[in-house]
Amino acid sequence: MDKPICFDLLHQGGRCGVSWARSSNKPGGGVTFDVRQETFDAPAIGLTKTRRASRYDFDNRGVLASAELWDHRGNHVRLERGMWQGEARFVLEKNAMALTAALLEGFGYRGDTSLTTLIPETGATLPYTLSAMNGGWRSTLGESLRLDAHGRVQNVAVAGTDFTFTRANRRFPQWDLQDIVPDHVYRPPRHIRTQDVNIPLGPDSAPPRMATIARPKGRAKPSAVAVFIGGTGVCDRHGRTSAFDIGYGQLLDDLAAEGVASVRYERFPANAVNLDEAEGRLGFSELCKDAAAVLDWLSAEPWARGLSKIVIGHSLGRLAALELSRTRDDLAAAVVLSTPGRTFRAVVQAQQGWMLGHMDTSRNTKRELRALTEQAFKLLESGKDWTPETVDARLLPLQRKRKLYGEILDLDPARLAMQGRCPVLIVQGGADVQVGVKDARILARGCKSRCRPHALRIEDGLDHLLKRNSKTGLEALAAYRDRRRRIPMALTRWIAKEVRALTDKRPS
C-alpha cells in the first residue's frame, strides 16, 4: 500500500477541510484508491461539518471498474462500469484533491493530458484536460496545479474562487462510514392510513413509479385528494434528501389527518442508471405530464372516486401546479407553496446576489461567478447542445439540468396564475431567503387582475421549507439540516380548512 496523500482545503488562507487518498494493488492486477475527506463548520462560506469516504477500483488497463461512496449520514452509492458513458480513466470527486493527486501520480501522467472523467456524485462523465505549463498544469476547470521536482502535486489554485489546496502531512483517518445506519428513512405515522403503490407513468415500456397514498384513518371520507409536486433538487417522494428533510411527507401526512388525502410519487424513473441520466430526462413538460398522469390514475381508483381533486406544488412544483390549473378543468384548487412570482432567470439572479452578499468572497470571485451565470443563461437561450468545444468546462456538470432549466428560464408564474380558473391558495414564509414575500404578492395580484379566486397566507418566521427559522444569513440555509424542525400544524390546518371550504362550494 502506497504512502497516503493528504491535502488541506483553504479558503482565503484558512483551513476549512482536508482530504486523504491512498492506493493499493489488487490481486490479479489493477489498483484500488481509498479516499477520506471532511469539511469543517465555516458559516462565513456556508460550509458545515461533514465526512465522506469513497473507494475506486481500476482494472489493469487503468480503466475505472467501480465507484463506491459513503457519508456520515449513512448514505451509500455504488456505481459499476456500464452505469456511466465511456471508459473512465479519471475521477473528480468534490473537494477531494488528494484523490486527484493520487490518480495523476499513481498512473504517471505527464505533459498535456486529456481523460474521460467520472463525476461520482451524479454518474456523469466529461473530458478533463490538463495543459502543461511551467512548473505544472492548468486544467479545463480553471485549476492551476503546481508540481515539485518529482512531478508531485503540491498546490492547487482554483480560478474564479477563493479556494486553494495545499499538500499536507496528516495521518490517514481511522474512522469508517460503512456501518452507519441512514438517519433519513421515512416511517409512516400510525394516526393515518398510508399505502405504497406503483403508478404507471410515461411510455408502456417504462417501469411504474413508486408512490405513497396518505388518507384519514378509519372510515372517514376525505374532503379532497391532492397530487403533490415537489421542487428542484434530488429527494425522495417524502421530501428526504441525504442532507435534510424538506418536509413533504410530514405535510401530506398531517393533511391526511385533517381530512385531505394525497398521492406523492417518485420524480425519477426507477430504470435510470444514475442521477445524470435521471435529471437529463426531466424537463418541465415531463414534470407536468407525470402529475397529469397521476390525476388521471386517481380517476380510476375506487377510493378516490367522487373526491374533489387538487394539486399542491412546492417551489419548482408550483409551476407545474399552476400550469395544470390552467389546462385542466377537473381541479377544485391549486395550492402553491413558497412560490416565485418571477421567472427562473430573475429568481436565480436574485438568489445569487443574496448568496454573494452574505458569503465572505472577494470581488474578483463575485465577478467571475456572475459572468459564469450569464454564460449559462445564454447557453440555455440558444437551445444548442452542450459540448466540450462550446461550453466552459465548469458548466458541463450542469448539462443534465439543461432541459429543465431551458424550459422554465423565462416562464412567467404570474402569467400562469392569470390564465387559470380554479381557486389558488398561495402560502409563503416571511423568513424565506430563497423566494421573497413580494413573489407571493405578485402571484396574488395576477389572480386578482383576472378575478381568479385566491387566498394569500404569509406566515411570519417561516422559511422556504415553511418551518420556523430565526437564523440570518447563511446560517438560515444551514438550519435546513435540522431534521427536528416541522411545518407548523396551524398552517396545515389552515390549508385543510381552505380546501374543505372550496370543495364544499364545488358543484357535485
Side-chain angles (χ1 to χ4, degrees):
M1 184 174 289
D2 290 345
K3 181 181 178 180
I5 292 174
C6 176
F7 272 81
D8 287 341
L9 170 63
L10 310 175
H11 182 267
Q12 297 182 355
R15 191 163 73 102
C16 55
V18 59
S19 64
W20 299 261
R22 64 185 179 188
S23 61
S24 57
N25 293 326
K26 296 166 56 181
V31 61
T32 294
F33 291 85
D34 280 303
V35 183
R36 300 287 185 276
Q37 65 163 294
E38 60 181 343
T39 57
F40 312 138
D41 285 320
I45 54 175
L47 282 183
T48 56
K49 184 175 177 59
T50 61
R51 280 183 172 178
R52 293 177 62 175
S54 51
R55 178 178 299 139
Y56 302 96
D57 284 326
F58 288 79
D59 64 20
N60 54 13
R61 297 182 300 127
V63 176
L64 184 65
S66 66
E68 205 159 4
L69 296 91
W70 302 264
D71 71 12
H72 69 289
R73 294 186 178 276
N75 298 292
H76 175 223
V77 175
R78 179 175 175 81
L79 298 172
E80 297 180 349
R81 189 154 40 200
M83 298 176 70
W84 58 79
Q85 293 186 351
E87 288 192 337
R89 294 180 178 270
F90 206 74
V91 178
L92 287 175
E93 182 181 325
K94 185 177 181 181
N95 293 333
M97 186 53 66
L99 172 63
T100 298
L103 291 170
L104 291 173
E105 296 168 20
F107 288 121
Y109 292 115
R110 295 288 187 273
D112 291 349
T113 305
S114 186
L115 301 161
T116 298
T117 299
L118 175 72
I119 308 299
E121 291 88 349
T122 65
T125 53
L126 52 82
Y128 180 64
T129 299
L130 293 162
S131 302
M133 64 177 188
N134 185 29
W137 278 302
R138 183 176 297 280
S139 82
T140 47
L141 295 179
E143 303 154 327
S144 296
L145 293 81
R146 295 292 176 180
L147 311 181
D148 65 12
H150 302 285
R152 295 175 299 201
V153 182
Q154 295 298 307
N155 298 283
V156 181
V158 185
T161 77
D162 297 317
F163 289 100
T164 56
F165 297 88
T166 300
R167 197 158 185 142
N169 185 20
R170 303 183 190 281
R171 184 177 299 176
F172 196 88
Q174 297 294 315
W175 46 263
D176 198 308
L177 305 177
Q178 297 185 29
D179 296 327
I180 296 178
V181 177
D183 63 355
H184 55 275
V185 176
Y186 169 76
R187 293 178 176 83
R190 297 180 178 179
H191 63 286
I192 62 169
R193 296 168 59 192
T194 61
Q195 179 186 2
D196 291 337
V197 296
N198 288 307
I199 300 178
L201 299 179
D204 294 337
S205 59
R209 211 75 62 83
M210 281 294 297
T212 296
I213 300 169
R215 286 182 277 174
K217 201 161 189 176
R219 296 185 178 182
K221 184 177 181 180
S223 58
V225 57
V227 170
F228 182 82
I229 313 166
T232 55
V234 180
C235 64
D236 65 13
R237 62 188 181 275
H238 310 296
R240 293 169 181 253
T241 78
S242 61
F244 49 84
D245 181 1
I246 301 175
Y248 297 160
Q250 181 229 316
L251 171 68
L252 298 173
D253 291 346
D254 286 349
L255 280 174
E258 294 298 311
V260 179
S262 64
V263 180
R264 54 193 188 258
Y265 56 94
E266 295 296 338
R267 179 183 305 157
F268 302 125
N271 63 342
V273 297
N274 56 41
L275 180 60
D276 184 62
E277 180 183 326
E279 290 199 290
R281 294 180 186 178
L282 183 69
F284 181 64
S285 55
E286 285 75 20
L287 194 68
C288 294
K289 287 177 183 176
D290 286 349
V294 178
L295 286 167
D296 293 338
W297 173 83
L298 275 174
S299 298
E301 288 295 296
W303 67 269
R305 197 166 295 144
L307 294 180
S308 296
K309 296 177 186 175
I310 65 174
V311 285
I312 303 176
H314 174 255
S315 196
L316 169 68
R318 94 289 181 195
L319 275 179
L322 289 173
E323 171 66 12
L324 290 169
S325 76
R326 184 183 72 86
T327 58
R328 296 183 68 106
D329 58 7
D330 61 343
L331 293 178
V335 182
V336 292
L337 313 172
S338 306
T339 302
R342 297 162 290 166
T343 65
F344 180 71
R345 183 199 300 265
V347 170
V348 168
Q349 289 171 329
Q351 289 179 349
Q352 184 181 66
W354 184 90
M355 286 289 294
L356 295 179
H358 286 83
M359 289 181 68
D360 182 12
T361 306
S362 67
R363 290 184 179 180
N364 287 339
T365 295
K366 291 178 181 179
R367 186 162 48 247
E368 182 79 13
L369 290 173
R370 289 192 180 101
L372 201 61
T373 299
E374 289 305 314
Q375 184 182 347
F377 287 155
K378 290 179 181 178
L379 287 165
L380 293 171
E381 289 168 0
S382 72
K384 297 178 180 178
D385 290 338
W386 293 25
T387 67
E389 295 74 28
T390 61
V391 176
D392 188 312
R394 291 172 293 174
L395 292 174
L396 280 177
L398 291 176
Q399 66 180 328
R400 70 184 191 276
K401 298 175 179 288
R402 179 170 60 90
K403 180 175 173 59
L404 175 61
Y405 289 173
E407 291 180 1
I408 66 173
L409 182 62
D410 291 311
L411 187 62
D412 186 354
R415 185 169 294 278
L416 293 180
M418 291 165 63
Q419 294 173 343
R421 287 173 291 179
C422 70
V424 180
L425 304 184
I426 304 166
V427 181
Q428 177 63 45
D432 189 342
V433 299
Q434 294 177 255
V435 176
V437 169
K438 69 177 182 180
D439 286 274
R441 290 181 173 142
I442 289 172
L443 289 179
R445 286 198 299 269
C447 292
K448 185 177 181 180
S449 69
R450 297 300 173 90
C451 299
R452 183 177 186 179
H454 66 282
L456 172 61
R457 175 99 170 190
I458 297 174
E459 285 282 334
D460 291 338
L462 300 193
D463 62 17
H464 194 65
L465 308 187
L466 296 175
K467 299 178 181 181
R468 296 285 172 200
N469 196 336
S470 60
K471 304 291 185 180
T472 59
L474 296 178
E475 290 187 359
L477 297 179
Y480 288 8
R481 297 176 182 273
D482 184 353
R483 296 178 184 275
R484 298 169 299 178
R485 301 188 313 137
R486 295 179 63 82
I487 298 170
M489 196 63 201
L491 175 59
T492 306
R493 287 174 177 148
W494 178 84
I495 295 172
K497 178 182 176 183
E498 291 295 314
V499 168
R500 284 195 298 271
L502 292 172
T503 53
D504 287 344
K505 296 175 184 177
R506 187 176 174 85
S508 57

